[in-house]
Amino acid sequence: MSLTPVTDPSGLLERAPRLSELLPDAALSEALARGDAWAVHAVLSRRLEHEPPGPNRALLAALVEDRGAFVIAARPPSMSSVLGTGVRWQGAPPRGASPSAPFVAERTVTVLGVPMWPLEGYLVRADGQGPLQVIGQVSPSPGRSRRRAVSLAGMALGLCALAGAGAMWLEARSVRAVTVVNGLSRPVDVRIGGEHWVVAPGAQEQGRVKLGDGLLRAVTTWPGQGQVIEDVPLPSSGEHILYNVKGAAMLAAVPDPGVPSAGPYFRSLSESATALQPGEHLSVQAASWEAAAHAFAEEGRWQAAGRVASAVAEVEPGNTLAREMAARAFLILDTQVPTNLPDALRWRNTRGFAAMLMHTWQEDPGAQSLALALLRFIGEGDTARARYVEHAQQHPDSPLAALYLQRASPPSVGTAEAVAAYQALAARFPDSPEVNRAWLDARWRFELGDPRPLGDSERQAYAVETARLAQAFGQRHPPDTLEALELDVRILLRAQLRDAATALVRRHAQDARHRTWDFLVLAGRTAAAAGPEHTSYVMRDWVPPALARRPERLALLELLTGQRSPKEAELAAVTSPVDRAVLRLTRDTLLDPKRALEAAVRESEAVLSRLDPEVAALLALELTRVGDARAKHLFNASLPLMLAREPLRNQVLSASRAPGPGLIRVAPGLRAAATLVHARRDAPEGYPVFAERLIGLARLDALGGFAVRAAGPWMRRAFDACMDTKVEQPLPPGILLTGAIVKEYARREDDREGRRPNCEARIVTPTGLPLPRAATTATAGNADGADP
């Protein structure tokens, strides 16, 4: 031990007497001499780090731990916190110590009561319920650096976690689930944000897209093409976005299972772009546009039906079904408008659809023909002609522009002047298939409607010349559409060139895409009109597999083409009530018109819209003939019948046999129906009679449509009704009846065969047709009463 006394101006040796046990120590003596308590504590801490185990190490640890002995004078620090966030004291008196005993506490930054960052240490004393009394500041804790490092690392990790959670939350908030539904007839290419799908017809695709800075948009094109068919903004609200391409499919939002609702609930989703609400899921009511349009029509929602069909007709080239369904829906919708409104308001839906066809499909003669027919129907034929005049002036070398203008201009088709006008147009554009076929159509219609009393040889020579022109033209330009094929077939059959007609049908069927329902009906009727010896094909061989699996459709095809009538047992086996009603109504129109008329006025839109136009025409015109206002319901069954309503009604109600001015533009099957109904009259006895020759029906409709086939059965039934009707024999005046005379008159009234001359003179002779065989009596095996 050194004999030199240790200088201790701060009195540390008195507060911590055991310090003297560590002397002599030069560094400790120097720190004590300076009177710096914190320097002494630092010397002890450094010595503790290197002290080997033993009594001195334990003493050093105890002295370093007793931070209260190394206090220096200091001003009380500022303390403030709100809801546990701010600067607060961290520390408490040792367990078992007096409440007023001093203890070491540290100022600490806290967040919501959680210590985050240690500051300075102080020797304090608690004084009852008041704030702590500060005695002085103590030396820093040996582990304060470590605690600060841990706190700093924790805060950094917390901030990173918070930032990551925030980024994930923002990312989740910017991502939307998307469902794309394609109700069109063709595949579509859909791009939304950075995602891309090719969606098949009637299918749906799902995915997730991220919201960007701008609006989220759905851009739709045909696969492999750059032309955009739809570009719509999508809603940003909602977690699940729905995109219904062109609004073609029929969609609804229904509540999730377990979600309480007031009753059967669904929310119609008629827009192209919408979003599901929480607690809802998507329900596809109709995946295709055709099913959706039919469903809307059957519900009486003609605006929605027209919107769907029009949207498809606007983007799908050559979709004649969509065009006709849209036109019919808009016509029905506009006819429900009060008639006292101006035409500009009454026909705005039809006018707008016709304008869309005129401007969108300028290279499609079929679309332009429909647009012209619609505008003529609403009385705006002059407006259409003005538009075509402007179009022809803009495109003076276009054969289609000249053709459109000729269609909209006089002379009316079916006249010799019209034939000359179309012939001049064909000479101007000799290489145009559309113009030359229009010339052939004008010749054919003129021969059908020529009122001049030509002999059979003259008419046949004209028909043969038309057929020769058609064959020569067909060698260079075979018919590529069903309308062109039907025209060529009718021309050839009219000229008795049956082999050529069936060969044309067979060549058209080589392309499987042409084997549609309407083509099969045409093929079957052509084979029936030509006869088996002139037909080199079997129509059933061309039936697509999807149609072959539906026996009710095959039965209707056989009925429409004259192959056979379904038995009552077959009708009872049809599961669909709509298909069963269509079959029964079609069959009864041919065999039992009275029963068909009684059923037709009660049928729904689902049944009437699926009737063949010629079937609906026969029923509607027969109701018109007898003055039944319910004929309007049947006239709305198909678009061709709606557009031809006025000329057909005028023909049926007219006393003249000459066709009206607008009848020549009507389809031959509908004209034949008007001719058949026009020939019927009501006899005073109550049964129908015929008042004009019907031998011209076969010439009018060479395909032997429904009206031609119905002429025989309708005449047979009228004849049977006449034979079953008793005719009262007038008594000579002043004759006293005796028993023998009464018996003779009763015998004459009951003599059914005696009525035959009168019935043949009133029913059979005016038609010019032979009396068909009597129908067999309905039995269980043949309940429909068809001819054997």
Side-chain angles (χ1 to χ4, degrees), residues 683-743:
E685 295 83 358
Y687 54 82
V689 299
F690 285 81
E692 66 181 63
R693 295 179 66 83
L694 295 176
I695 196 170
L697 276 178
R699 181 178 67 86
L700 185 64
D701 186 4
L703 278 175
F706 223 76
V708 176
R709 293 169 49 207
W714 281 33
M715 182 177 64
R716 175 81 249 183
R717 292 182 179 276
F719 181 80
D720 290 342
C722 177
M723 293 285 286
D724 293 337
T725 302
K726 293 182 179 182
V727 180
E728 295 183 2
Q729 299 293 327
L731 297 176
I735 299 298
L736 180 63
L737 298 180
T738 63
I741 297 176
V742 171
K743 290 181 180 180

Side-chain angles (χ1 to χ4, degrees), residues 420-467:
Y422 280 101
Q423 184 176 1
L425 201 61
R428 180 183 170 191
F429 301 102
D431 297 327
S432 171
E434 295 82 9
V435 171
N436 282 272
R437 206 168 295 280
W439 174 38
L440 295 174
D441 180 73
R443 286 183 57 92
W444 168 68
R445 290 185 183 275
F446 170 65
E447 190 270 326
L448 290 183
D450 189 1
R452 296 177 300 173
L454 299 178
D456 289 342
S457 60
E458 294 175 288
R459 289 187 180 277
Q460 187 64 23
Y462 190 91
V464 169
E465 176 63 16
T466 304

